[in-house]
Amino acid sequence: MSSEAPLNDRYDFQAIEKKWQDTWISEKTYKTTEDESKEKYYVLEMFPYPSGRIHMGHVRNYSIGDVVARYKRLRGFNVLHPMGWDAFGMPAENAAIKNNSHPAVWTYDNIDYMRNQLGQLGLSYDWDREIATCNPKYYKWEQKLFIEMFNKGLVYQKKTTVNWCNTCQTVLANEQVIDGACWRCDELVQPKEMRGWFFKITDYAEELLQDLDKLSGWPEKVVTMQRNWIGKSTGLACDFKVDGLDENIRIFTTRPDTIFGVTFMSIAAEHPLLEKLVAGTDREQEVLDFANQIKVEKQQRNIEEEVVKKGIFTGRYCINPFNGEKVPVYVANFVLVEYGTGAVMAVPAHDQRDFEFARQYDLPITPVVIPEGTDLVADKMTEASTAAGVLKNSGNFTGLDSEDAKTKIIAHAKENGFGDAHITFRLRDWGISRQRYWGAPIPMIYCDSCGVVPEKLENLPVVLPEDKESQQSSCAPLHQRPSFIETTCPCCGKPARRETDTMDTFVESSWYFARYTSPRNEEAILDEKASKYWLAVDQYIGGVEHAILHLLYSRFFVKILRDLGYLEIDEPFTNLLTQGMVIKDGSKMSKSKGNVVDPNDLIQEYGADTVRLFSLFAAPPQKDLEWNSKGVEGSSRFINRLYRFGVSNKELIASSSDSIESELEGISRDIHRKTHQTIKRVTENIENNFHFNTAISAAMELFNMLSSATDKQEEVAPEVISSAYKTMLILLSPMIPHFTSEMWQIIGNKESIENEPWPEFDQEAAKEDLLTIVVQVNGKVRARLNVPADIEDEPLKEMSCEDEGVKKFIDGKSIRKIIVIKKKLVNIVV
């Protein structure tokens, strides 16, 4: 019996991995259908953009999902594990222009290449369900959904100031502006006024917020990010009359208790009243120039970014309806028209931002809420006081507790007709219009007689033109293509014009997970039976950078699909895993940093299983993975050791029963015990937290124990060797599927390892015999106890206190606490 075959008998990963990949494809091993007799499990990784090549982040993401899918199959679940392509977008256009090609050609070529790359990783996808969002058979249903939303009043057009990227020649959603720049090309964005289409996501703001409480399987960080983005606030909305004009400035505040401390009004540069406020005054041009500059600066910064506060006096005043005081109106760069009303009542005594602005522009500060035990004096204040307290200088409300005053002040505003209680959300409607070619056409038509009307459903899909009529390129925006624009009105039949905007690519990715349940259905967007069986997704896997954009939009779309009668669920993803990045040389892998490691090179040198094993073993999925070439080599060595052991002992393993019937002794008992402890550890590490690194470590420990015993020629029962090795193969099969499939066959099994059940944990077999526990009193050793290895803490504490050697040190004294360190010691503190 030997643990090592001759050193030249190495594992031929290239031949073996190709063999099993071909087998899985030809036999459609991972094809799945609905089966009511089985419990379903839907695992999904966020689908990729077909950029041309996969990177190590893809490898890690998809390996994690594949382990979960394979593990759940071995546990008897009916597993859905699909893959597809988020295929629309500007990079395809840019590449097509650069290469004098068409974006469809570039995209589908990339899809073919990346599909082959994913195949080389041995990922267990049901490729019969593959989708590409640029396929008209996919976006046909998206267009139908758009029309149904339009008919329900959930889609509308409006003129607005948008984020415009000159390089990409398109509008960006707020979420797509990163640090003031386009998320795709890094060009600084500019403000631009134009009409566009919007989804009324704000109609679902309250439900989107409340249903976050249902997402117990999501990371708290992601839930918090969404909660803050939705941003619910309750308070007072009231009108400040503009002095000298028949206009009101409406404000919203969550601190109505401070309203008697208003000393100025701040409005956004985009406020609709601004031009009226300054029209005809000697300050008109100066104020408008300042406002335009602020608009540009706002578009070029992150909305969360702190800015140096600056403003300009408009020359106008407004009147506080509670005390009749006139306060100056300023345009301020920190006020956002998108949030609240675009106007902020400034209370510098009780808001730090207003305090800093007031000090900068020498504006009055009036304390009106005095915390208990203090006396606020404006001239001596070094910062705003935001604490609760008692009202001062607040008319009839003086002396009230600030919390009580809020309710009474709101009631007063309502009684007098200038305000009321109000709820507002930070969330804004989703602008989906894009002025690009490579996107799903918006199925709306402009008719001089009928107005704006949807295309007939029977005429869907409205497909992208594939001609090259534009002089610019095959990627010319739709508004430059007369043959696309010219159409007839679906209502009156007269000449009409098509909408030339295309949809934001986040629309496609907001419902693709549902389409996977019936991707070839040509009669409806979803098959009722299939979607009811498979949805919601049980485990979703992707980057935390999608916490707001994709994940929030997907939640919105599921609620839309539910309300339109297509789904019965409220949320798309029951559990969410956000994996960490792959780091090399201290930073995320990227071409610009020159620290990219090509997965293709690794697969050619070490094989897919080694690459998978390293990406799973180097760090827990939620943490960043630090690239380490030695770690890759170590993973390769481990697989080769497993291989040599199996080949050397294949006859023994094949001929031995792996059922343990006789009483075991010595090393055989130890290895059998370790086998069942390993089953328990691997199972718990996968089930509880997806800590594949510690699961793999457990399997390595078992193998080291087994190979060490055989190296030393210790007498190990053949059935113990067989059981331990077979168990290791099954436990590792989700991580290194090619290798384990091959070894399962080599050791004499005719059935595929895919059909094996997950090993059963035997608690009796896993029990340790006896442990020696040190008992201390105040840190000094007073006894040693031999106890069962699986003893619980409470009986161990009792035994320790009852020991005669311990009693004399604790009798008559009060025990303050008893500290238990598992399997090591008990310390009694008196």
Side-chain angles (χ1 to χ4, degrees):
M1 181 169 53
S2 169
S3 67
E4 299 288 337
L7 290 177
N8 60 355
D9 189 10
R10 292 183 62 81
Y11 174 59
D12 184 358
F13 61 82
Q14 289 183 331
I16 289 168
E17 290 182 352
K18 185 175 189 311
K19 164 190 167 180
W20 287 103
Q21 289 162 15
D22 290 346
T23 298
W24 295 330
I25 291 172
S26 64
E27 296 182 357
K28 292 187 178 290
T29 304
Y30 307 114
K31 181 176 175 60
T32 189
T33 56
E34 297 79 54
D35 183 349
E36 296 292 346
S37 68
K38 280 187 172 183
E39 186 176 354
K40 68 91 180 180
Y41 193 87
Y42 184 178
V43 57
L44 182 64
E45 305 94 63
M46 294 180 185
F47 66 168
Y49 180 79
S51 57
R53 300 180 78 85
I54 64 171
H55 51 68
M56 284 305 299
H58 288 131
V59 171
R60 190 182 192 202
N61 188 13
Y62 304 145
S63 295
I64 290 167
D66 199 50
V67 172
V68 177
R70 290 177 178 277
Y71 169 75
K72 289 294 183 179
R73 285 192 195 94
L74 292 169
R75 296 307 299 258
F77 287 85
N78 188 26
V79 175
L80 174 58
H81 188 209
M83 175 49 71
W85 312 97
D86 191 8
F88 274 135
M90 288 177 281
E93 290 192 26
N94 296 338
I97 292 169
K98 181 178 179 181
N99 299 303
N100 194 28
S101 179
H102 192 281
V105 174
W106 186 86
T107 298
Y108 282 111
D109 283 349
N110 285 352
I111 286 173
D112 289 341
Y113 188 85
M114 291 178 69
R115 187 192 301 111
N116 181 60
Q117 285 187 298
L118 295 180
Q120 290 176 10
L121 282 168
L123 302 168
S124 60
Y125 294 129
D126 179 356
W127 283 107
D128 285 357
R129 294 176 182 263
E130 180 184 13
I131 59 175
T133 59
C134 62
N135 190 322
K137 290 183 178 180
Y138 179 84
Y139 66 73
K140 165 187 177 177
W141 301 110
E142 186 166 292
Q143 291 174 339
K144 181 175 185 291
L145 187 58
F146 181 101
I147 292 170
E148 291 182 13
M149 291 173 66
F150 176 81
N151 291 336
K152 289 276 189 180
L154 293 168
V155 179
Y156 66 97
Q157 265 187 314
K158 70 173 180 179
K159 195 171 185 180
T160 182
T161 301
V162 297
N163 306 308
W164 178 258
C165 175
N166 269 324
T167 298
C168 297
Q169 286 290 294
T170 192
V171 172
L172 301 173
N174 289 339
E175 297 90 333
Q176 294 168 321
V177 178
I178 309 298
D179 296 328
C182 171
W183 74 302
R184 285 291 194 192
C185 72
D186 290 331
E187 173 79 14
L188 291 177
V189 300
Q190 302 290 329
K192 185 173 182 177
E193 269 206 352
M194 60 193 307
R195 291 187 69 79
W197 291 96
F198 287 78
F199 286 159
K200 292 189 74 175
I201 192 172
T202 52
D203 278 13
Y204 287 81
E206 184 66 41
E207 188 182 0
L208 286 165
L209 182 66
Q210 294 301 323
D211 281 0
L212 287 172
D213 293 336
K214 298 178 180 179
L215 302 179
S216 58
W218 285 36
E220 187 56 39
K221 176 183 178 181
V222 175
V223 172
T224 299
M225 290 170 74
Q226 289 213 3
R227 196 181 303 279
N228 291 342
W229 188 261
I230 295 167
K232 182 179 181 179
S233 299
T234 59
L236 166 70
C238 74
D239 294 323
F240 281 56
K241 188 178 186 318
V242 179
D243 188 37
L245 288 177
D246 188 20
E247 298 286 353
N248 291 316
I249 298 176
R250 170 150 284 225
I251 63 93
F252 170 80
T253 178
T254 59
R255 292 291 308 271
D257 54 316
T258 67
I259 203 159
F260 284 86
V262 174
T263 60
F264 62 98
M265 177 73 69
S266 303
I267 66 172
E270 304 87 350
H271 198 285
L273 278 182
L274 178 58
E275 291 188 5
K276 284 188 178 181
L277 292 178
V278 298
T281 69
D282 57 0
R283 303 183 63 84
E284 181 176 9
Q285 196 57 50
E286 181 185 5
V287 173
L288 294 180
D289 287 347
F290 175 85
N292 287 333
Q293 180 60 34
I294 293 304
K295 290 177 188 178
V296 172
E297 291 176 4
K298 280 183 182 178
Q299 303 301 125
Q300 295 177 353
R301 75 169 193 260
N302 189 310
I303 56 175
E304 303 291 347
E305 182 183 333
E306 280 293 323
V307 295
V308 176
K309 295 163 186 63
K310 57 184 178 180
I312 191 170
F313 177 45
T314 62
R316 288 284 183 183
Y317 293 81
C318 61
I319 299 169
N320 187 331
F322 283 86
N323 58 15
E325 290 185 4
K326 290 199 297 185
V327 295
V329 180
Y330 277 73
V331 177
N333 67 335
F334 54 82
V335 183
L336 302 176
V337 73
E338 298 92 353
Y339 304 112
T341 64
V344 175
M345 67 171 211
V347 186
H350 304 293
D351 181 276
Q352 186 60 27
R353 185 179 56 184
D354 296 340
F355 180 87
E356 293 170 6
F357 192 90
R359 284 281 191 251
Q360 186 172 343
Y361 290 95
D362 198 25
L363 293 164
I365 296 174
T366 304
V368 291
V369 177
I370 313 301
E372 185 178 355
T374 66
D375 184 21
L376 297 180
V377 178
D379 293 344
K380 296 180 179 179
M381 293 179 71
T382 58
E383 62 181 5
S385 171
T386 58
V390 175
L391 266 62
K392 172 186 176 183
N393 300 325
S394 299
N396 294 335
F397 304 98
T398 297
L400 289 178
D401 173 82
S402 55
E403 287 303 312
D404 294 338
K406 288 179 181 179
T407 305
K408 290 181 169 59
I409 286 172
I410 291 172
H412 176 79
K414 184 176 182 180
E415 288 169 10
N416 289 273
F418 55 76
D420 202 350
H422 188 67
I423 295 173
T424 189
F425 291 89
R426 183 176 184 266
L427 181 69
R428 295 293 131 208
D429 283 338
W430 176 10
I432 62 133
S433 285
R434 300 294 178 266
Q435 293 66 46
R436 302 297 291 171
Y437 167 76
W438 193 234
I442 293 175
M444 301 299 289
I445 292 172
Y446 298 89
C447 173
D448 291 338
S449 299
C450 304
V452 184
V453 295
E455 179 58 276
K456 289 181 179 178
L457 296 180
E458 57 264 34
N459 291 341
L460 300 180
V462 176
V463 299
L464 289 170
E466 295 186 2
D467 59 359
K468 293 188 177 182
E469 64 178 46
S470 167
Q471 293 182 352
Q472 284 193 14
S473 74
S474 59
C475 302
L478 297 181
H479 67 262
Q480 297 178 6
R481 298 170 180 265
S483 64
F484 176 82
I485 298 170
E486 295 165 3
T487 188
T488 56
C489 175
C491 298
C492 69
K494 294 178 181 178
R497 304 175 307 283
R498 286 199 184 281
E499 171 60 72
T500 57
D501 285 354
T502 54
M503 293 192 222
D504 180 5
T505 56
F506 279 99
V507 178
E508 284 85 65
S509 61
S510 294
W511 67 282
Y512 79 107
F513 49 86
R515 183 64 179 172
Y516 276 140
T517 63
S518 51
R520 304 294 173 258
N521 190 334
E522 296 187 2
E523 303 302 319
I525 185 171
L526 299 173
D527 178 85
E528 182 179 358
K529 181 181 176 184
S531 60
K532 187 173 182 179
Y533 177 80
W534 289 116
L535 294 172
V537 175
D538 296 282
Q539 183 64 59
Y540 200 37
I541 302 166
V544 72
E545 65 271 18
H546 298 292
I548 294 172
L549 293 85
H550 165 59
L551 292 172
L552 182 63
Y553 294 158
S554 296
R555 297 182 60 224
F556 167 58
F557 256 70
V558 160
K559 296 176 192 306
I560 292 290
L561 288 165
R562 177 202 62 196
D563 291 351
L564 291 173
Y566 293 115
L567 293 177
E568 296 181 3
I569 58 172
D570 296 324
E571 290 290 332
F573 314 120
T574 304
N575 297 289
L576 173 68
L577 171 66
T578 53
Q579 91 280 357
M581 297 184 295
V582 180
I583 306 294
K584 185 172 184 283
D585 303 330
S587 59
K588 180 183 177 182
M589 283 190 182
S590 70
K591 290 179 181 178
S592 62
K593 294 185 174 69
N595 64 350
V596 171
V597 175
D598 190 335
N600 275 16
D601 295 341
L602 289 175
I603 291 171
Q604 288 301 312
E605 185 174 356
Y606 295 103
D609 279 343
T610 293
V611 177
R612 289 170 60 119
L613 188 65
F614 168 74
S615 70
L616 296 164
F617 181 57
Q622 299 89 343
K623 303 291 185 182
D624 289 346
L625 184 157
E626 183 71 40
W627 174 257
N628 181 348
S629 59
K630 290 182 179 179
V632 180
E633 293 165 4
S635 296
S636 178
R637 284 196 300 272
F638 173 66
I639 290 175
N640 276 282
R641 287 181 62 213
L642 271 176
Y643 176 75
R644 291 193 291 271
F645 185 97
V647 169
S648 296
N649 297 286
K650 63 182 180 181
E651 286 82 9
L652 181 148
I653 296 170
S655 61
S656 301
S657 168
D658 51 358
S659 61
I660 312 298
E661 296 178 358
S662 59
E663 191 71 26
L664 298 173
E665 295 181 354
I667 188 65
S668 294
R669 182 183 59 195
D670 293 343
I671 293 173
H672 185 55
R673 178 191 302 121
K674 186 72 170 179
T675 299
H676 282 274
Q677 291 173 344
T678 303
I679 294 170
K680 185 173 189 290
R681 282 182 62 189
V682 172
T683 305
E684 288 180 348
N685 282 321
I686 294 176
E687 285 283 356
N688 297 341
N689 50 24
F690 294 148
H691 279 195
F692 307 126
N693 57 322
T694 51
I696 293 166
S697 179
M700 288 177 171
E701 289 176 19
L702 173 59
F703 179 67
N704 288 340
M705 185 179 193
L706 178 62
S707 60
S708 175
T710 55
D711 275 346
K712 296 173 183 176
Q713 300 295 308
E714 295 187 61
E715 289 296 325
V716 185
E719 64 269 26
V720 170
I721 296 174
S722 177
S723 173
Y725 193 77
K726 288 180 180 178
T727 297
M728 276 189 291
L729 291 182
I730 299 173
L731 295 179
L732 289 170
S733 65
M735 295 85 166
I736 46 176
H738 309 88
F739 170 82
T740 52
S741 295
E742 181 69 12
M743 291 311 303
W744 194 253
Q745 192 176 78
I746 285 174
I747 61 176
N749 295 289
K750 293 181 180 179
E751 285 290 322
S752 168
I753 197 170
E754 305 271 352
N755 299 327
E756 288 298 306
W758 189 254
E760 290 290 333
F761 168 63
D762 184 337
Q763 190 167 353
E764 284 299 315
K767 275 186 180 179
E768 297 279 359
D769 294 336
L770 291 175
L771 289 176
T772 300
I773 299 293
V774 172
V775 182
Q776 299 175 337
V777 178
N778 290 344
K780 293 184 179 180
V781 177
R782 301 304 184 189
R784 285 180 170 82
L785 303 178
N786 290 321
V787 300
D790 58 351
I791 190 170
E792 298 291 332
D793 286 358
E794 290 307 315
L796 178 57
K797 290 177 184 178
E798 291 177 14
M799 286 180 65
S800 300
C801 292
E802 291 299 318
D803 182 84
E804 292 300 325
V806 173
K807 273 187 175 180
K808 58 185 178 183
F809 293 98
I810 63 173
D811 278 354
K813 297 178 181 177
S814 173
I815 297 176
R816 292 165 56 196
K817 61 181 175 179
I818 302 176
I819 301 167
V820 176
I821 298 178
K822 287 284 189 185
K823 298 188 176 183
K824 290 186 178 180
L825 66 82
V826 174
N827 184 20
I828 303 169
V829 182
V830 295

